Amino acid sequence: MKIWVIDGRRMTDRAGAAEFTSRSEQTIAIQTSPKRRAEGSGWPSPVPGPEGVLLYPLEDLAATIEGIAEASQARVHSITLDGDPDELIPALEFRALIDAKASTWSKYVDMSKAAWERGEDGYLPRPDLEEPAPRRGIIRSWRRHRVEQWINSRPGRGAGAGPPVRTAETGPTAAKYRLVMAAIRQDISDGTFTPGQPLPSEAKLGTRYAVSPGTVRRALTELHHEGALVRSSDGTVAPNPTPQSG
């Protein structure tokens, strides 16, 4: 994602806005058009950039996504799962409760594994029990009350609706961590963070970007997955540039 800094504001082009918001470029063009904004789309107006490129302020895009997520969250209805709240529910039953296809469920699991390995909830809550499957793989189970709590706090048009399958969860924190990811990339690009040298602590990064340490942690995790950051004995670092051959 390309970033321009104009008058102290970080901005990106239409392709970057699409990546940042997990929307298509066509959606960005439509929602930010004068007609759609006049109708109350809530999306920011693009501003002219270098060489006639239209740019979108990242802070405004983040605020827009937060507003959409909060409105979606307000439409969630609570459900109650009958039975012992501490009874373990296997993955197959969990998947049926949210009406998720096998491919969708696999995506949710993949999105959660990194957090589970750290002992935290991911997109899905961390399993309460993991056992080796008879042949191969892992059998995961969750306590009923935790499944109910997750379904009722999950963004969407109704209980269990949830967001579309994307590479990241939706909601206010999602918009913020993508903003932090963009800011860290920019700080690496402009030399604020030197390749090979440890980044500041999560707490200090949170202060720098005015977000919680949890939001910073999510941003760092995603950047690790992308290869934009690596772990070393000294902590999290930006990798050294790959020497150009020839």
Side-chain angles (χ1 to χ4, degrees), residues 1-4 11-20 25 28 53-58 61:
M1 183 171 67
K2 294 182 179 179
I3 295 177
W4 287 259
M11 303 187 183
T12 189
D13 57 14
R14 184 178 296 170
E19 177 184 344
F20 182 74
E25 291 189 41
I28 298 299
V53 176
L54 291 178
L55 300 179
Y56 302 80
L58 290 178
L61 290 172

Side-chain angles (χ1 to χ4, degrees), residues 1 3 10 12 16-23 43 58-59 61-66 68-69 111 163-164 166-186 209 211 214-216 218-220 222-223 226:
M1 183 171 67
I3 295 177
R10 289 185 172 89
T12 189
E19 177 184 344
F20 182 74
T21 63
S22 296
R23 269 71 174 175
W43 285 75
L58 290 178
E59 290 183 0
L61 290 172
T64 298
I65 298 304
E66 288 185 21
I68 293 172
M111 290 161 58
R166 302 187 188 280
T167 57
E169 67 191 41
T170 61
T173 299
K176 289 180 181 178
Y177 85 71
R178 284 197 288 266
L179 186 59
V180 173
M181 288 174 66
I184 291 175
R185 291 192 195 97
Q186 181 65 32
Y209 303 125
V211 297
T215 299
V216 171
R218 182 60 190 270
L220 294 176
E222 295 298 326
L223 289 170
E226 291 181 2

Side-chain angles (χ1 to χ4, degrees), residues 112-122 125-127 146:
S112 306
K113 283 182 178 178
W116 291 351
E117 291 173 0
R118 299 193 304 270
E120 304 170 356
D121 289 342
R126 186 187 181 200
R146 295 188 64 226

Side-chain angles (χ1 to χ4, degrees), residues 101-140:
K101 297 179 180 179
S103 58
T104 300
W105 177 261
S106 296
K107 186 70 174 181
Y108 290 169
V109 171
D110 289 342
M111 290 161 58
S112 306
K113 283 182 178 178
W116 291 351
E117 291 173 0
R118 299 193 304 270
E120 304 170 356
D121 289 342
Y123 177 74
L124 293 171
R126 186 187 181 200
D128 292 295
L129 178 65
E130 291 187 328
E131 299 176 301
R135 293 186 178 180
R136 63 177 183 178
I138 298 174
I139 297 175
R140 300 182 175 92

